[in-house]
Amino acid sequence: MAPYIGTAVSRVDGVAKVTGAAKYAAEFSAPGLLYASIVSATITKGRITRIDTSAALAVEGVLTVLTHENRPRMADKDEAYKDEVAPDGSPFRPLYDDKIKFNGQPIALVVAERSEIARFAASLVVVEYGAAAYVTDVFRRREAAVPVKAPANPSEALFAPPKPRGDADRALAAAAVRHEGEYYVPIEHHNPMELYAATAIVDPDGKLTVYDKTQGVQNIQHYLCGVFGLKSDDVKVMNPYMGGGFGSGLRPQFEVVLAVLAARALQRSVRVVLTRQQMYALGYRPAMIQRIALGANRDGTLDAISHDAITVTSQYEDFYRQETAWSGLLYTSANAKYAHRLAHLDLATSCDMRAPSAATAVYALEAAMDELAVALKLDPLELRLRCYSDRDQHEDRPYSSKALRECYRQGAEAFGWSRRNPEPRSMREGTDLVGWGMATGVWDAFQAPITVRIVLTANGHAEVACATSDIGTGTYTIMAQVAADMLGLPLDNISIKLGDSSLPQSPVEGGSWIAASVSNGIATTAARIRNELLRLAKQMPGSPLADVGSDDVALADGKLVSKRDSSRAVSIADAMRQGAVERIEQEETTNPAQDEKRAHNTHSAIFAEVKIDEQLGVIRVTRVVSAIAAGRILNTKTATSQILGGVVWGIGMALHEETQIDHTFGRIVNANIAEYHVPVHADIHDIKVIFVDEPDDSNPLGIKGLGEIGIVGVAAAVANAVYHATGKRVRDLPISLDKLLA
Amino acid sequence: MINFQYVRANSIADAVNLIADDPAAKFVAGGTNLIDLMKMDVEQPTKLIDISRLALDKVEDTAEGGLRIGAMVRNSDLAYHPAVEARYPVLSSAIRAGASQQLRNMASTGGNLLQRTRCAYFYDIALPCNKRTPGSGCGALAGHNRMHAILGTSDACIAVFPSDMCVALALLEARVHVSGPNGARTIAFDAFHRLPGETPQRDNNLEPGEMIVAVELPSAGFASNYSYLKIRDRLSYAFALVSVGVGLEIADGRIKAARLALGGVAHKPWRDTRAEAALAGQAANEAVFRQAADIVLRDARGFGHNNFKIELARRAIIRALTQAANGTPQSQSNKKIA
């Protein structure tokens, strides 16, 4: 039986998804289900001075209107609201009190027999406010931004500010060639297709089953226990399928609090679904103002890097990532310094969004490198090669693997980079200017502790269970592939259970760590299953495996087989019959090896072609090649889709995406997916994805993960191509055509 | 969204009577705009009168050599109608530049004329808007006005009318047939939509209770030399920053007659007959096109974010005229600017 790992297996949940059998958080029901509609604040900061729900309550079919005045009891300590990945600060508490902290904040919940009634009645709630002064513009808080501190949450410790090295100021002053520039990325929202929703079902025994759109069912379960003082047995959180998360579902969102609040108030099952507009009151990618200074020698080696960043968060939590560290990591430079300040705005707290910090910071770094290449009169790719680093520059340690050179080589060849005329505005096609740009991408290769349970039955079927999530990336499929290979069974004999808080422990699904974590977890537990089968097989009279050690046997084609002599084998069925067991159940926790001596990262090289109408500034990204080094690729089909999605998103980041806020009113004025632009089909042309070979032994399966790496660097490659085409350097995203007209 | 009644009209007379009885009612045809506005509580009709099943779905030749398009003809059906593709390709092109295939499948001819602006301040009932709530102020004047008007604005309103199809109808000098409590009448296209002035709440000159029953095209279709060039922030499914519709009659390298209308720049499709007159009799070259563009934009005014539209419009006019004169109209499927 050929291995499944590394092949283009179609999604095992594909049929369920296209037939509608796959159910999402807003699709679960229960007898007597009630429907709730959220009333959102229309001011940016202040207090609710009066909230009149009488007209809403008078509507036939309305059961209650919950507000801060009449809600059931909730915890009153911040600690209760701190989830697994909470930043420092005081988390937002929906309907807790009369304070308004951001525009669009939920302030009342109308619960009714039908969703239409709830929505109508919600429009009748009358709110009076005492408004306070507010600031939503990062440029107005630029001077008041405060330096970030190392986070208190131990699981956030890796985001501590990076340590400087050498003397960057002196090196910059002495540099033969310098480039310094300021780059800006606006606030962006995730805009997943599936609306945030929670269905809280009151079971007959009074316990709760909560279907919630989330990237971490156990994170939500712990959170709900804290907020509502529940025992962990009293609430189960489920999320079998998810229509896109991209980081927006890492932390608990207010829909789940509101659904549980209403279910507890009425002792009835309740569903809350956000509107598309209300989705813009959730977290977002923080806007980022960055200053990058590069000092180089004439030969194109770097001597100094300085990266200053200002990112955006709320007034009540300090969300940030290690934004500045990517600059110091990626290229060889003896001197580096960083400064990262937070601008506290009257908005909801920012949050992780695909490749958080790298998507924005590497954009700035790679645009700056392109400008340095121009200053040095050096090919941009050649500059990257001259600055190439075989060692992690922060810790001066080797990488577990780094095939970035090969990404550059294969990507450049597939793109035809050698035919590039370095002169801006030199390449034309009719009325179009043609530009070629490139950039590097980098992300971490994480692995987290995880527990996997496998139940093998005598008929050769296995159920693999873990409380992880499949947020649309293909986790079901890779879990089935890995289990099938590790257990030596056909793919169809594997069933996957996930998205259920009662299953064995999993971290939240993010940071590209689930593939490595859960796959190696499956391998560990599968080895336990194999050992148990071997124990049974050895008991057989005249067992062909009697003297075979546990390391010398593998599961393949439904059999235990000696690795040294494939003629010596015992079928799974025979072994289990021998032991008179119908099922073998094993549950194991897999902790990643502590490997502090090496750095663990994924890399990419992106090459982009743009064609721009010279007079009108209309931009088409006609070709992109993305060459990825991300360890072992489990499924070439879902992996390619991941990278394609990342490239599309990167094109959107470069050309389209921007959450527009009217700072006079503090309201988002494009809170819908007609006016908040992401690329449409017409904007996407030829994208080629290359996975370069990158053997890695950081974990037994050699997996690094690739949810994030696909977007990193893409915006820079496009922006650099725009410069090459036009000779105009646009340093604030998105590059809308008006910025090219001047 | 408020609760509302739904009734279906059986005839034009029935529709007119139903709405006469209930001034808080609204006609609904394709519903591609009205339903969104109701969800946002911008429109709160207590009754919807469904006119989508009235027998107004025919495209017929007129005795004058033109075409009469029923108000319920779907945008998609009109764009791909053989007579429209052959005789009025600028109309076909403009329709295909708008919205998405799904929306065009639903949207009606009459409804297209009656789209409301896409101004964000109009759509958000928490923000001021003189068009939605007269006297509340204009949030866009000092706010996000990147998409807003540069021509024909007033202190009360700088919103733009979003239709692509209507830009083509304006240059084709269509006539709008309406029925109402006082009988039937015909409105010249240029007199149909209004500038905002002090009454931005009125988008057009329909009287209360009137409904569009047909749009009539005269015979001149400019099928040889035309273009519809739409410049937008992404290559499809986005409203125009600037769009330009052009129809030319060219003989011996000279422009005999010209029609020129812009979208995305004003509270109505912006046709400039002075610019058209300046083109007539001239050689078809860039200098002449530039003069015409200067005439169109002589009174253009930006409000900050949308200042770029003035120069963009100038260049787009020149390009669209060039495309039309060369007989190389802008494709709506290949997004490369011709």
Side-chain angles (χ1 to χ4, degrees), chain A residues 5-346:
Chain A
I5 291 176
T7 65
V9 170
S10 291
R11 286 170 190 264
V12 297
D13 51 341
V15 171
K17 282 186 170 173
V18 298
T19 57
K23 286 170 93 176
Y24 293 77
E27 297 180 315
F28 289 91
S29 197
L33 181 71
L34 299 173
Y35 301 82
S37 181
I38 296 169
V39 179
S40 304
T42 57
I43 69 159
T44 303
K45 192 176 192 177
R47 284 175 187 278
I48 301 166
T49 53
R50 192 175 78 93
I51 186 158
D52 181 354
T53 61
S54 55
L57 284 166
V59 176
E60 194 181 336
V62 171
L63 279 87
T64 190
V65 181
L66 294 175
T67 70
H68 65 283
E69 293 174 342
N70 67 350
R71 61 160 174 83
R73 202 179 165 284
M74 295 163 73
D76 51 16
K77 296 275 195 300
D78 281 338
E79 286 314 307
Y81 295 83
K82 292 216 170 182
D83 68 282
E84 195 179 309
V85 287
D88 290 351
S90 173
F92 173 63
R93 306 174 187 180
L95 304 194
Y96 187 79
D97 58 23
D98 62 352
K99 290 192 191 70
I100 303 295
K101 297 179 172 184
F102 56 92
N103 219 312
Q105 171 183 325
I107 51 173
L109 188 74
V110 180
V111 191
E113 300 284 356
R114 295 208 319 263
S115 63
E116 295 83 356
I117 296 171
R119 187 159 178 168
F120 166 52
S123 73
L124 303 179
V125 174
V126 179
V127 189
E128 290 173 18
Y129 302 99
Y134 49 85
V135 176
T136 56
D137 182 357
V138 60
F139 289 99
R140 277 190 58 201
R141 274 287 154 78
R142 190 175 182 144
E143 304 309 319
V146 296
V148 298
K149 301 185 292 273
N153 182 347
S155 71
E156 304 281 288
L158 70 157
F159 304 121
K163 290 187 287 289
R165 59 180 180 266
D167 186 342
D169 286 329
R170 204 184 41 141
L172 273 171
V177 179
R178 270 188 303 274
H179 165 69
E180 184 168 1
E182 181 171 307
Y183 303 85
Y184 177 67
V185 183
I187 286 178
E188 299 167 352
H189 275 79
H190 308 71
N191 291 304
M193 285 292 283
E194 183 195 5
L195 298 170
Y196 270 84
T199 306
I201 293 173
V202 180
D203 298 323
D205 59 3
K207 294 181 177 183
L208 283 171
T209 301
V210 181
Y211 295 90
D212 183 36
K213 171 168 178 159
T214 176
Q215 294 174 238
V217 283
Q218 291 178 331
N219 191 28
I220 301 297
Q221 195 230 16
H222 295 155
Y223 173 81
L224 291 175
C225 287
V227 171
F228 293 104
L230 298 169
K231 294 199 286 292
S232 63
D233 281 352
D234 293 341
V235 56
K236 182 159 98 161
V237 177
M238 308 278 286
N239 187 36
Y241 295 99
M242 190 169 186
F246 314 118
S248 62
L250 287 169
R251 299 188 66 196
Q253 302 289 7
F254 51 73
E255 83 287 342
V256 72
V257 180
L258 297 176
V260 172
L261 206 54
R264 283 169 65 80
L266 297 165
Q267 285 304 306
R268 297 269 302 269
S269 300
V270 178
R271 177 186 298 159
V272 176
V273 185
L274 268 58
T275 64
R276 181 57 67 180
Q277 287 72 26
Q278 287 167 343
M279 298 277 284
Y280 290 80
L282 304 175
Y284 51 88
R285 192 194 289 286
M288 191 164 173
I289 304 170
Q290 311 181 65
R291 282 200 80 77
I292 297 212
L294 303 171
N297 301 307
R298 291 261 174 236
D299 65 359
T301 54
L302 272 175
D303 205 27
I305 298 171
S306 167
H307 192 154
D308 290 3
I310 297 174
T311 58
V312 165
T313 189
S314 65
Q315 297 283 8
Y316 50 90
E317 284 176 313
D318 285 355
F319 174 84
Y320 61 88
R321 293 295 178 233
Q322 214 180 28
E323 265 81 0
T324 55
W326 302 107
S327 294
L329 174 74
L330 192 51
Y331 298 114
T332 301
S333 173
N335 305 287
K337 71 175 183 114
Y338 321 91
H340 185 176
R341 291 182 294 146
L342 274 179
H344 292 90
L345 299 178
D346 296 298

Side-chain angles (χ1 to χ4, degrees), chain A residues 481-495:
Chain A
Q481 289 175 268
V482 172
D485 279 1
M486 295 298 138
L487 296 168
L489 296 174
L491 194 71
D492 288 346
N493 288 19
I494 308 293
S495 60

Side-chain angles (χ1 to χ4, degrees), chain A residues 529-557:
Chain A
I529 295 271
R530 193 185 65 218
N531 289 345
E532 179 60 15
L533 284 168
L534 180 62
R535 190 182 67 79
L536 298 173
K538 281 174 186 276
Q539 293 168 2
M540 290 172 70
S543 172
L545 300 175
D547 58 349
V548 175
S550 60
D551 291 339
D552 294 328
V553 71
L555 281 166
D557 298 327

Side-chain angles (χ1 to χ4, degrees), chain A residues 613 615 662 667 678 738, chain B residues 121 124 146 234 315 319:
Chain A
D613 186 276
Q615 282 296 307
D662 182 313
R667 276 179 85 76
V678 299
D738 49 300
Chain B
Y121 299 86
D124 184 348
R146 188 166 183 280
R234 62 182 168 193
R315 297 183 189 185
R319 183 67 71 86

Side-chain angles (χ1 to χ4, degrees), chain B residues 2-336:
Chain B
I2 65 166
N3 285 332
F4 59 90
Q5 280 187 299
Y6 169 86
V7 294
R8 192 178 291 161
N10 298 315
S11 65
I12 295 170
D14 187 28
V16 170
N17 286 336
L18 281 166
I19 207 155
D21 291 344
D22 189 350
K26 287 244 172 216
F27 293 128
V28 64
T32 57
N33 191 197
L34 179 60
I35 305 300
D36 280 352
L37 291 163
M38 290 169 67
K39 285 182 183 172
M40 304 289 287
D41 287 317
V42 175
E43 298 271 19
Q44 297 195 314
T46 52
K47 183 191 283 181
L48 286 186
I49 301 164
D50 185 352
I51 57 170
S52 67
R53 297 173 202 226
L54 298 183
L56 297 172
D57 57 350
K58 305 218 169 26
V59 179
E60 299 162 310
D61 287 330
T62 64
E64 294 76 32
L67 217 52
R68 184 183 163 102
I69 303 157
M72 282 312 309
V73 174
R74 302 288 172 178
N75 285 181
S76 299
D77 293 336
L78 186 59
Y80 294 101
H81 192 282
V84 176
E85 286 194 299
R87 289 153 58 191
Y88 305 96
V90 69
L91 176 58
S92 178
S93 184
I95 294 170
R96 291 177 58 201
S100 66
Q101 185 68 61
Q102 293 87 339
L103 286 164
R104 295 192 297 266
N105 288 345
M106 287 299 293
S108 68
T109 300
N112 192 299
L113 272 63
L114 301 178
Q115 289 181 74
R116 308 302 311 268
T117 181
R118 295 283 161 171
C119 173
Y121 299 86
F122 176 72
Y123 269 75
D124 184 348
I125 60 170
L127 295 175
C129 172
N130 287 325
K131 181 181 280 296
R132 188 190 64 245
T133 311
S136 63
C138 174
L141 266 177
H144 269 266
N145 51 40
R146 188 166 183 280
M147 299 300 292
H148 287 71
I150 53 171
L151 289 164
T153 56
S154 74
D155 292 343
C157 182
I158 59 171
V160 298
F161 177 63
S163 169
D164 290 295
M165 184 179 102
C166 289
V167 176
L169 293 177
L171 78 89
L172 291 169
E173 295 191 339
R175 290 187 290 273
V176 185
H177 294 269
V178 306
S179 276
N182 301 318
R185 67 182 179 120
T186 303
I187 307 170
F189 206 84
D190 194 50
F192 186 83
H193 294 102
R194 296 164 60 95
L195 289 178
E198 293 307 307
T199 55
Q201 66 273 24
R202 288 197 67 185
D203 291 350
N204 56 61
N205 287 315
L206 278 184
E207 295 298 332
E210 282 187 323
M211 67 176 282
I212 299 170
V213 295
V215 173
E216 186 186 332
L217 302 179
S219 60
F222 305 94
S224 300
N225 293 91
Y226 73 94
S227 191
Y228 187 75
L229 176 62
K230 180 178 183 179
I231 309 299
R232 50 194 144 178
D233 275 326
R234 62 182 168 193
L235 298 178
S236 182
Y237 193 54
F239 292 97
L241 296 166
V242 169
S243 71
V244 183
V246 175
L248 301 176
E249 271 182 56
I250 294 186
D252 305 326
R254 296 195 93 79
I255 300 167
K256 272 179 65 188
R259 300 278 177 81
L260 179 62
L262 273 64
V265 296
H267 198 261
K268 60 184 291 188
W270 191 264
R271 187 169 162 214
D272 194 317
T273 50
R274 280 213 275 173
E276 292 173 359
L279 287 164
Q282 302 291 316
N285 62 45
E286 188 177 328
V288 168
F289 299 157
R290 182 172 299 279
Q291 277 176 6
D294 289 344
I295 293 171
V296 173
L297 297 163
R298 63 199 180 275
D299 297 322
R301 175 192 167 195
F303 295 88
H305 295 110
N306 70 345
N307 292 353
F308 74 96
K309 278 192 176 187
I310 299 171
E311 180 59 23
L312 180 64
R314 191 182 321 278
R315 297 183 189 185
I317 291 168
I318 294 167
R319 183 67 71 86
L321 283 165
T322 307
Q323 291 175 336
N326 292 345
T328 54
Q330 178 59 41
S331 167
Q332 299 306 340
S333 45
N334 181 353
K335 307 296 178 183
K336 176 179 164 39

Side-chain angles (χ1 to χ4, degrees), chain A residues 678-700:
Chain A
V678 299
V680 295
H681 286 294
D683 294 297
I684 301 305
H685 296 81
D686 184 29
I687 303 173
K688 182 178 176 61
V689 177
I690 297 167
F691 292 110
V692 308
D693 198 32
E694 190 182 58
D696 190 281
D697 63 358
S698 302
N699 55 62

